[in-house]
Structures are given as structure tokens and as C-alpha cells.
Short mmCIF file of all heavy atoms in Angstrom, two decimals:
data_model
loop_
_atom_site.label_atom_id
_atom_site.label_comp_id
_atom_site.label_asym_id
_atom_site.label_seq_id
_atom_site.Cartn_x
_atom_site.Cartn_y
_atom_site.Cartn_z
N ALA W 744 -7.64 -10.29 19.70
CA ALA W 744 -7.99 -11.45 20.52
C ALA W 744 -6.88 -12.49 20.51
O ALA W 744 -6.59 -13.12 21.53
CB ALA W 744 -9.29 -12.08 20.01
N GLN W 745 -6.23 -12.67 19.36
CA GLN W 745 -5.21 -13.71 19.23
C GLN W 745 -3.85 -13.28 19.78
O GLN W 745 -3.08 -14.12 20.23
CB GLN W 745 -5.07 -14.10 17.76
CG GLN W 745 -6.27 -14.85 17.19
CD GLN W 745 -6.45 -16.21 17.83
OE1 GLN W 745 -7.25 -16.35 18.76
NE2 GLN W 745 -5.74 -17.20 17.37
N LEU W 746 -3.55 -11.99 19.71
CA LEU W 746 -2.28 -11.50 20.22
C LEU W 746 -2.51 -10.14 20.88
O LEU W 746 -2.24 -9.09 20.30
CB LEU W 746 -1.24 -11.38 19.10
CG LEU W 746 0.15 -10.85 19.49
CD1 LEU W 746 0.79 -11.71 20.57
CD2 LEU W 746 1.06 -10.79 18.27
N PRO W 747 -3.06 -10.14 22.11
CA PRO W 747 -3.36 -8.86 22.78
C PRO W 747 -2.09 -8.06 23.05
O PRO W 747 -1.06 -8.61 23.40
CB PRO W 747 -4.03 -9.31 24.10
CG PRO W 747 -4.45 -10.72 23.88
CD PRO W 747 -3.46 -11.30 22.92
N ARG W 748 -2.20 -6.75 22.88
CA ARG W 748 -1.06 -5.87 23.15
C ARG W 748 -1.40 -4.79 24.17
O ARG W 748 -0.51 -4.10 24.66
CB ARG W 748 -0.61 -5.18 21.87
CG ARG W 748 -0.08 -6.11 20.79
CD ARG W 748 0.32 -5.30 19.57
NE ARG W 748 0.65 -6.15 18.43
CZ ARG W 748 0.74 -5.71 17.19
NH1 ARG W 748 0.53 -4.42 16.92
NH2 ARG W 748 1.05 -6.53 16.22
N VAL W 749 -2.67 -4.60 24.45
CA VAL W 749 -3.08 -3.56 25.40
C VAL W 749 -3.93 -4.18 26.49
O VAL W 749 -4.50 -5.27 26.33
CB VAL W 749 -3.88 -2.44 24.69
CG1 VAL W 749 -3.01 -1.72 23.66
CG2 VAL W 749 -5.12 -3.00 24.01
N THR W 750 -4.03 -3.49 27.61
CA THR W 750 -4.78 -4.03 28.75
C THR W 750 -6.21 -3.51 28.81
O THR W 750 -7.06 -4.14 29.43
CB THR W 750 -4.07 -3.67 30.07
OG1 THR W 750 -3.89 -2.26 30.15
CG2 THR W 750 -2.71 -4.35 30.15
N SER W 751 -6.48 -2.38 28.19
CA SER W 751 -7.82 -1.79 28.27
C SER W 751 -8.70 -2.29 27.14
O SER W 751 -8.28 -2.36 25.98
CB SER W 751 -7.72 -0.26 28.20
OG SER W 751 -9.02 0.32 28.10
N LEU W 752 -9.94 -2.64 27.48
CA LEU W 752 -10.94 -3.01 26.48
C LEU W 752 -11.97 -1.91 26.28
O LEU W 752 -12.95 -2.09 25.56
CB LEU W 752 -11.66 -4.30 26.91
CG LEU W 752 -10.81 -5.58 26.90
CD1 LEU W 752 -11.61 -6.75 27.44
CD2 LEU W 752 -10.31 -5.88 25.50
N ASP W 753 -11.76 -0.75 26.92
CA ASP W 753 -12.69 0.36 26.83
C ASP W 753 -12.58 1.01 25.45
O ASP W 753 -11.54 1.59 25.12
CB ASP W 753 -12.38 1.40 27.91
CG ASP W 753 -13.38 2.54 27.93
OD1 ASP W 753 -14.31 2.53 27.08
OD2 ASP W 753 -13.23 3.44 28.77
N PRO W 754 -13.62 0.91 24.60
CA PRO W 754 -13.52 1.48 23.25
C PRO W 754 -13.33 2.99 23.26
O PRO W 754 -12.85 3.56 22.27
CB PRO W 754 -14.85 1.08 22.59
CG PRO W 754 -15.77 0.81 23.72
CD PRO W 754 -14.93 0.27 24.83
N LEU W 755 -13.71 3.65 24.34
CA LEU W 755 -13.54 5.10 24.42
C LEU W 755 -12.07 5.48 24.46
O LEU W 755 -11.70 6.63 24.22
CB LEU W 755 -14.26 5.66 25.65
CG LEU W 755 -15.79 5.50 25.65
CD1 LEU W 755 -16.37 6.05 26.96
CD2 LEU W 755 -16.40 6.22 24.46
N THR W 756 -11.20 4.51 24.77
CA THR W 756 -9.76 4.78 24.80
C THR W 756 -9.20 4.98 23.40
O THR W 756 -8.15 5.60 23.23
CB THR W 756 -9.03 3.60 25.48
OG1 THR W 756 -9.64 3.34 26.75
CG2 THR W 756 -7.55 3.91 25.70
N TYR W 757 -9.91 4.49 22.37
CA TYR W 757 -9.38 4.50 21.01
C TYR W 757 -10.34 5.23 20.06
O TYR W 757 -10.69 4.73 19.00
CB TYR W 757 -9.14 3.07 20.52
CG TYR W 757 -8.46 2.21 21.54
CD1 TYR W 757 -9.16 1.25 22.27
CD2 TYR W 757 -7.11 2.37 21.82
CE1 TYR W 757 -8.54 0.48 23.24
CE2 TYR W 757 -6.48 1.60 22.79
CZ TYR W 757 -7.21 0.66 23.48
OH TYR W 757 -6.58 -0.11 24.44
N GLN W 758 -10.73 6.43 20.48
CA GLN W 758 -11.70 7.18 19.70
C GLN W 758 -11.07 8.12 18.67
O GLN W 758 -11.78 8.80 17.94
CB GLN W 758 -12.60 8.00 20.63
CG GLN W 758 -13.63 7.16 21.36
CD GLN W 758 -14.53 6.40 20.42
OE1 GLN W 758 -15.21 6.99 19.59
NE2 GLN W 758 -14.54 5.08 20.54
N GLU W 759 -9.75 8.16 18.60
CA GLU W 759 -9.12 9.05 17.64
C GLU W 759 -9.42 8.61 16.21
O GLU W 759 -9.81 7.45 15.97
CB GLU W 759 -7.61 9.09 17.86
CG GLU W 759 -6.91 7.75 17.69
CD GLU W 759 -5.45 7.83 18.07
OE1 GLU W 759 -4.72 8.55 17.39
OE2 GLU W 759 -5.06 7.17 19.05
N GLU W 760 -9.23 9.52 15.27
CA GLU W 760 -9.51 9.22 13.87
C GLU W 760 -8.72 8.01 13.40
O GLU W 760 -7.57 7.80 13.81
CB GLU W 760 -9.15 10.43 13.00
CG GLU W 760 -9.60 10.27 11.56
CD GLU W 760 -9.19 11.46 10.69
OE1 GLU W 760 -8.27 12.20 11.10
OE2 GLU W 760 -9.78 11.63 9.62
N PHE W 761 -9.35 7.20 12.60
CA PHE W 761 -8.79 6.01 11.95
C PHE W 761 -8.87 4.75 12.80
O PHE W 761 -8.73 3.66 12.28
CB PHE W 761 -7.33 6.21 11.51
CG PHE W 761 -7.09 7.43 10.67
CD1 PHE W 761 -6.24 8.44 11.10
CD2 PHE W 761 -7.72 7.56 9.44
CE1 PHE W 761 -6.02 9.55 10.32
CE2 PHE W 761 -7.50 8.68 8.64
CZ PHE W 761 -6.64 9.68 9.09
N TYR W 762 -9.10 4.84 14.11
CA TYR W 762 -9.06 3.65 14.97
C TYR W 762 -10.45 3.11 15.31
O TYR W 762 -10.60 1.91 15.55
CB TYR W 762 -8.26 3.93 16.25
CG TYR W 762 -6.78 3.92 16.01
CD1 TYR W 762 -6.12 5.05 15.53
CD2 TYR W 762 -6.03 2.77 16.19
CE1 TYR W 762 -4.75 5.04 15.27
CE2 TYR W 762 -4.65 2.75 15.95
CZ TYR W 762 -4.03 3.89 15.48
OH TYR W 762 -2.68 3.87 15.22
N PHE W 763 -11.46 3.95 15.42
CA PHE W 763 -12.84 3.52 15.60
C PHE W 763 -13.04 2.60 16.79
O PHE W 763 -13.72 1.57 16.71
CB PHE W 763 -13.36 2.84 14.32
CG PHE W 763 -13.39 3.75 13.13
CD1 PHE W 763 -12.31 3.80 12.26
CD2 PHE W 763 -14.47 4.58 12.88
CE1 PHE W 763 -12.31 4.64 11.17
CE2 PHE W 763 -14.49 5.43 11.79
CZ PHE W 763 -13.40 5.47 10.92
N GLY W 764 -12.44 2.95 17.92
CA GLY W 764 -12.68 2.19 19.14
C GLY W 764 -11.89 0.91 19.28
O GLY W 764 -12.11 0.15 20.22
N GLN W 765 -11.00 0.63 18.34
CA GLN W 765 -10.18 -0.59 18.39
C GLN W 765 -8.70 -0.22 18.38
O GLN W 765 -8.30 0.69 17.66
CB GLN W 765 -10.49 -1.49 17.19
CG GLN W 765 -11.90 -2.07 17.18
CD GLN W 765 -12.15 -2.86 15.91
OE1 GLN W 765 -12.03 -2.35 14.79
NE2 GLN W 765 -12.51 -4.14 16.07
N PRO W 766 -7.88 -0.93 19.14
CA PRO W 766 -6.46 -0.59 19.19
C PRO W 766 -5.66 -1.07 17.98
O PRO W 766 -4.50 -0.69 17.81
CB PRO W 766 -5.97 -1.30 20.46
CG PRO W 766 -6.88 -2.46 20.62
CD PRO W 766 -8.22 -2.00 20.12
N ARG W 767 -6.24 -1.92 17.14
CA ARG W 767 -5.48 -2.54 16.05
C ARG W 767 -6.08 -2.18 14.68
O ARG W 767 -7.24 -1.82 14.55
CB ARG W 767 -5.48 -4.06 16.21
CG ARG W 767 -4.97 -4.54 17.56
CD ARG W 767 -3.46 -4.48 17.66
NE ARG W 767 -2.88 -5.68 17.10
CZ ARG W 767 -2.74 -6.83 17.79
NH1 ARG W 767 -3.11 -6.89 19.06
NH2 ARG W 767 -2.18 -7.88 17.22
N VAL W 768 -5.26 -2.33 13.67
CA VAL W 768 -5.62 -2.17 12.26
C VAL W 768 -6.34 -0.83 11.99
O VAL W 768 -7.52 -0.81 11.62
CB VAL W 768 -6.47 -3.35 11.74
CG1 VAL W 768 -6.58 -3.32 10.21
CG2 VAL W 768 -5.89 -4.67 12.18
N PRO W 769 -5.68 0.29 12.19
CA PRO W 769 -6.28 1.58 11.81
C PRO W 769 -6.57 1.59 10.32
O PRO W 769 -5.83 0.99 9.52
CB PRO W 769 -5.21 2.60 12.20
CG PRO W 769 -3.93 1.82 12.20
CD PRO W 769 -4.29 0.45 12.67
N ALA W 770 -7.64 2.29 9.92
CA ALA W 770 -8.08 2.25 8.52
C ALA W 770 -8.40 3.64 8.01
O ALA W 770 -8.78 4.55 8.76
CB ALA W 770 -9.31 1.35 8.38
N THR W 771 -8.27 3.81 6.70
CA THR W 771 -8.56 5.09 6.06
C THR W 771 -10.05 5.31 5.84
O THR W 771 -10.45 6.35 5.30
CB THR W 771 -7.85 5.19 4.69
OG1 THR W 771 -8.16 4.03 3.92
CG2 THR W 771 -6.34 5.28 4.88
N TYR W 772 -10.88 4.39 6.25
CA TYR W 772 -12.35 4.44 6.15
C TYR W 772 -12.81 5.05 4.81
O TYR W 772 -13.53 6.03 4.75
CB TYR W 772 -12.97 5.14 7.36
CG TYR W 772 -12.61 6.60 7.60
CD1 TYR W 772 -13.43 7.63 7.14
CD2 TYR W 772 -11.47 6.93 8.33
CE1 TYR W 772 -13.12 8.95 7.38
CE2 TYR W 772 -11.15 8.25 8.57
CZ TYR W 772 -11.98 9.27 8.09
OH TYR W 772 -11.67 10.59 8.33
N LEU W 773 -12.43 4.40 3.73
CA LEU W 773 -12.79 4.89 2.40
C LEU W 773 -14.31 4.95 2.22
O LEU W 773 -15.05 4.06 2.62
CB LEU W 773 -12.20 3.98 1.32
CG LEU W 773 -10.67 3.82 1.31
CD1 LEU W 773 -10.25 2.96 0.12
CD2 LEU W 773 -9.97 5.16 1.27
N ASP W 774 -14.77 6.04 1.60
CA ASP W 774 -16.19 6.19 1.29
C ASP W 774 -16.35 6.41 -0.21
O ASP W 774 -15.40 6.25 -0.99
CB ASP W 774 -16.80 7.34 2.09
CG ASP W 774 -16.05 8.66 1.88
OD1 ASP W 774 -15.39 8.81 0.83
OD2 ASP W 774 -16.11 9.53 2.77
N ARG W 775 -17.55 6.78 -0.62
CA ARG W 775 -17.84 6.91 -2.04
C ARG W 775 -16.92 7.90 -2.74
O ARG W 775 -16.39 7.62 -3.82
CB ARG W 775 -19.31 7.35 -2.22
CG ARG W 775 -19.73 7.51 -3.67
CD ARG W 775 -21.15 8.02 -3.75
NE ARG W 775 -21.28 9.32 -3.08
CZ ARG W 775 -22.43 9.97 -2.94
NH1 ARG W 775 -23.55 9.43 -3.38
NH2 ARG W 775 -22.47 11.14 -2.33
N ASP W 776 -16.70 9.07 -2.14
CA ASP W 776 -15.85 10.08 -2.76
C ASP W 776 -14.41 9.59 -2.91
O ASP W 776 -13.73 9.90 -3.90
CB ASP W 776 -15.88 11.37 -1.94
CG ASP W 776 -17.21 12.09 -2.04
OD1 ASP W 776 -17.99 11.77 -2.96
OD2 ASP W 776 -17.48 12.97 -1.20
N ASP W 777 -13.94 8.84 -1.91
CA ASP W 777 -12.57 8.33 -1.98
C ASP W 777 -12.40 7.35 -3.15
O ASP W 777 -11.36 7.33 -3.82
CB ASP W 777 -12.19 7.63 -0.68
CG ASP W 777 -12.19 8.58 0.51
OD1 ASP W 777 -11.71 9.71 0.34
OD2 ASP W 777 -12.67 8.18 1.58
N PHE W 778 -13.42 6.54 -3.39
CA PHE W 778 -13.33 5.59 -4.49
C PHE W 778 -13.36 6.30 -5.85
O PHE W 778 -12.86 5.78 -6.84
CB PHE W 778 -14.46 4.56 -4.41
CG PHE W 778 -14.22 3.47 -3.42
CD1 PHE W 778 -14.86 3.45 -2.20
CD2 PHE W 778 -13.32 2.46 -3.70
CE1 PHE W 778 -14.62 2.45 -1.27
CE2 PHE W 778 -13.07 1.45 -2.79
CZ PHE W 778 -13.72 1.45 -1.56
N ILE W 779 -13.94 7.50 -5.87
CA ILE W 779 -13.99 8.26 -7.13
C ILE W 779 -12.74 9.10 -7.32
O ILE W 779 -12.12 9.10 -8.40
CB ILE W 779 -15.25 9.17 -7.15
CG1 ILE W 779 -16.52 8.31 -7.11
CG2 ILE W 779 -15.23 10.07 -8.38
CD1 ILE W 779 -17.79 9.11 -6.95
N PHE W 780 -12.33 9.81 -6.25
CA PHE W 780 -11.24 10.78 -6.38
C PHE W 780 -9.92 10.32 -5.78
O PHE W 780 -8.90 11.01 -5.91
CB PHE W 780 -11.66 12.11 -5.72
CG PHE W 780 -12.90 12.71 -6.31
CD1 PHE W 780 -14.09 12.70 -5.61
CD2 PHE W 780 -12.88 13.24 -7.59
CE1 PHE W 780 -15.25 13.25 -6.15
CE2 PHE W 780 -14.03 13.80 -8.15
CZ PHE W 780 -15.23 13.79 -7.43
N GLY W 781 -9.92 9.18 -5.11
CA GLY W 781 -8.69 8.70 -4.50
C GLY W 781 -8.63 9.04 -3.01
O GLY W 781 -9.39 9.88 -2.51
N ALA W 782 -7.70 8.35 -2.31
CA ALA W 782 -7.62 8.49 -0.85
C ALA W 782 -6.36 9.24 -0.42
O ALA W 782 -5.86 9.03 0.69
CB ALA W 782 -7.66 7.11 -0.21
N SER W 783 -5.84 10.11 -1.28
CA SER W 783 -4.56 10.78 -1.00
C SER W 783 -4.57 11.52 0.33
O SER W 783 -3.64 11.39 1.14
CB SER W 783 -4.23 11.75 -2.13
OG SER W 783 -4.10 11.07 -3.35
N ASP W 784 -5.62 12.28 0.58
CA ASP W 784 -5.66 13.10 1.79
C ASP W 784 -5.61 12.24 3.04
O ASP W 784 -4.85 12.53 3.98
CB ASP W 784 -6.92 13.96 1.78
CG ASP W 784 -7.05 14.79 3.05
OD1 ASP W 784 -6.18 15.65 3.28
OD2 ASP W 784 -8.01 14.56 3.82
N LYS W 785 -6.39 11.17 3.07
CA LYS W 785 -6.42 10.31 4.26
C LYS W 785 -5.11 9.55 4.44
O LYS W 785 -4.63 9.39 5.56
CB LYS W 785 -7.60 9.34 4.17
CG LYS W 785 -8.95 10.02 4.34
CD LYS W 785 -10.10 9.03 4.20
CE LYS W 785 -11.43 9.73 4.40
NZ LYS W 785 -12.57 8.80 4.19
N LEU W 786 -4.52 9.10 3.36
CA LEU W 786 -3.24 8.41 3.46
C LEU W 786 -2.15 9.33 4.01
O LEU W 786 -1.32 8.92 4.82
CB LEU W 786 -2.83 7.86 2.10
CG LEU W 786 -3.54 6.58 1.64
CD1 LEU W 786 -3.27 6.30 0.17
CD2 LEU W 786 -3.11 5.38 2.49
#
């Protein structure tokens, strides 16, 4: 919102893994197993 970089607001444009419908700040979406065993695979 503060510094737009893309023209589309359609969340379906950003459905790939790690983005979750948003064009910014992709995340490793850590879950319970990651907190126990680490996030090596996702990183």
C-alpha cells in the first residue's frame, strides 16, 4: 500500500508457493513441524 510495485490487485495472480495471494514479503509459512525440526527444506 505504501510503495506499490505492481498494477494488479487480483490475488489469483500470486498463488504460487510462499506468496499467498500477495506480491510482497514471501514467507516460509513455518508450522509446528518446522519449529521442531527446522525450516531447512523451505529455505
